Amino acid sequence: MLRKVLIANRGEIAVRIIRECLDSSIEAVSVYSTADRQALHTIIATKAICIGGPRASESYLNISNIVEAAKACGCDAVHPGFGFLSENSDFARACEEAGIKFIGPASWTIDKMGNKAAARKLMVEAGVPVVPGSEGSVKDADEAAAIAEKIGYPVLMKASAGGGGRGMRKAYNPEEVREGFAAASAEAESCFGNGEMYVEKLIENPRHIEFQILADGFGNVVHLGERDCSIQRRNQKLVEEAPAWGLSSELREKMGQAAVKAAKAADYENAGTIEFVVDKDENFYFIEMNTRIQVEHPVTEMVTGINIVKEQLRIASGIPLGFSQEEIQFSGHAIECRITAERVFDNFAPCPGQVEFIHFPAGAGIRVDSALYNGCEISPFYDSMVAKVIAKGNTRLEAVRRMRRALEETVITGVETTLPVQHLLMFNQEFLRGGYDTGFIENHLKDILDIYEAAGGKHESV
Ligand code: ADP
Ligand code: ADP
Ligand code: MG
């Protein structure tokens, strides 16, 4: 059993994990940067240790400081959360070598699945459908153009180390391959320290449908159903829901089986997500595996009743999964809005600052995961996501109604957030119909912002 866990993260996900540890009678040790002395994850932990300066490279990405902190406190495990070091195999390896359990897959599994070009290869070998594209990575724009010629335009040039929608460019012709390749590779080099690229056919306006999986240390793998994450702006998710609306039970079955096969091929352990794109003809293709807990895990928890972070702790303790695939029950519908501190009329530019007042919603079917409190600072150094509002209903419509009501109850003053946009989205006809694709935001965001502005949104004080 685990006795003491270090949480190598900050913000709402660190708070989520600390709460789960405390609920399981496990001591929770936080690490924090000098910018996070007053952050909620620093305050509510059993113990908190300062690991460096405000820049992530000095603190939350500082492998040796984090491992030293875990050793100094006698922690027997480290939970990496998402972002930061969560998919960094060097970090997982450093934990393994220090005799500290990394709550996630083995470092060599991260190596295999973390490089997206390598993961594609592994999936092909395992018989999981991937998007047509290059066999592995491509060395330059000429090679990318040759592959584009073969598979047909349009194509997507993607960074092997990419994440969060970065390091990715579309190309509709050879000129765009040349421009986009260099730009995407440079972006990946600066974000992830690795400019390696690969090429995929661009599936036009697919749905993004992903499967949550859990795998224990005894070879048992189950999936917890799917999430539809097609509401994306610049390849970043804004709203997610479970289940995916209108997905046929045959397709769900096939995709679930492919997700389990993918996890088995990677000798996977712990929680992970297999992401697919689905085209108009219901063909589905693997795009990547996220070898960590995901931002949108609560929607799955709401419809399955399975506590994914608790399962992560149990799996890391060496306990076998307590249920089989057949025993997993799905009920109702859940929707999550990722609230970020951003100025929506200013191209969603981050809006750090001091929160004056917050009030979060409650009541039947509502959950809020956040690290905000009255008077807290939203730091300019980190990701702008500040709260996740999740609504569950017996039907999708009930979930939508509850989300509208929950967002109306929510008050966040002092900083601008995306909340009004997500609130208006809950009234959009096409959203209400469900089954939308990843082109949705590109087609509807301007309309939503126009309505918001016409209703006085731009002049609203915060
Ligand atoms: P998903 O949205 O599918 O969970 P992402 O790749 O978008 O996966 O990343 C998960 C989250 O991790 C992001 O929404 C963001 O909040 C955070 N994140 C991503 N990259 C970083 C990073 N380099 N540093 C800190 N946080 C990050
Ligand atoms: P990241 O690691 O940044 O999350 P992904 O490979 O998951 O990168 O892609 C991010 C998003 O980009 C997907 O959710 C999807 O909307 C879009 N996308 C990725 N690959 C393709 C593709 N081949 N065709 C069309 N859209 C794609
Ligand atoms: Mg992705």
Side-chain angles (χ1 to χ4, degrees), residues 89-105:
S89 59
D90 291 337
F91 180 54
R93 204 167 293 117
C95 292
E96 288 161 7
E97 282 164 7
I100 297 165
K101 178 72 181 172
F102 177 82
I103 303 179

Side-chain angles (χ1 to χ4, degrees), residues 228-367:
D228 189 330
C229 309
S230 303
I231 302 285
Q232 301 180 354
R233 180 178 168 273
R234 302 195 169 162
N235 303 314
Q236 289 183 29
K237 302 160 187 168
L238 290 175
V239 173
E240 304 96 352
E241 53 181 304
W245 202 236
L247 195 72
S248 68
S249 48
E250 297 78 47
L251 185 55
R252 176 174 292 122
E253 181 74 16
K254 268 202 293 191
M255 291 178 75
Q257 281 172 10
V260 168
K261 193 152 78 172
K264 284 189 171 158
D267 278 322
Y268 202 77
E269 183 184 313
N270 217 290
T273 299
I274 311 287
E275 297 191 332
F276 298 102
V277 287
V278 181
D279 71 13
K280 302 278 170 292
D281 303 318
E282 298 206 333
N283 296 304
F284 66 92
Y285 307 98
F286 168 90
I287 50 170
E288 67 159 339
M289 177 168 201
N290 291 138
T291 57
R292 54 169 164 85
I293 188 82
Q294 264 183 300
V295 175
E296 56 273 26
H297 76 276
V299 291
T300 300
E301 297 188 325
M302 298 284 263
V303 298
T304 58
I306 293 171
N307 182 327
I308 297 170
V309 177
K310 187 188 273 306
E311 293 301 327
Q312 288 196 289
L313 296 172
R314 287 170 57 91
I315 292 167
S317 308
I319 301 171
L321 282 176
F323 42 82
S324 65
Q325 188 68 56
E326 293 67 38
E327 285 167 326
I328 298 168
Q329 302 263 344
F330 298 90
S331 101
H333 197 94
I335 302 176
E336 172 182 275
C337 290
R338 295 188 185 193
I339 313 296
T340 51
E342 289 172 351
R343 293 198 302 271
V344 297
F345 290 114
D346 193 8
N347 220 359
F348 289 72
C351 181
Q354 188 172 18
V355 173
E356 284 163 8
F357 176 78
I358 60 161
H359 173 76
F360 281 132
I366 299 300
R367 165 174 170 183

Side-chain angles (χ1 to χ4, degrees), residues 116 120 131-134 136 138 140-148 151 153-162 165-188 195-203 235:
K116 296 203 225 173
R120 270 174 64 83
V131 187
S134 54
V138 295
D140 55 22
D142 286 336
E143 195 183 342
I147 286 162
I151 60 176
Y153 284 97
V155 295
L156 194 58
M157 291 167 289
K158 299 171 77 170
S160 305
R166 275 160 300 192
M168 210 181 283
R169 293 290 185 284
K170 294 176 187 175
Y172 287 82
N173 53 54
E175 292 72 57
E176 290 182 357
V177 167
R178 256 161 265 284
E179 286 161 26
F181 188 95
S185 177
E187 186 174 292
E196 186 186 282
M197 300 293 297
Y198 66 104
V199 180
E200 270 179 13
K201 177 132 187 95
L202 178 77
I203 310 294
N235 303 314

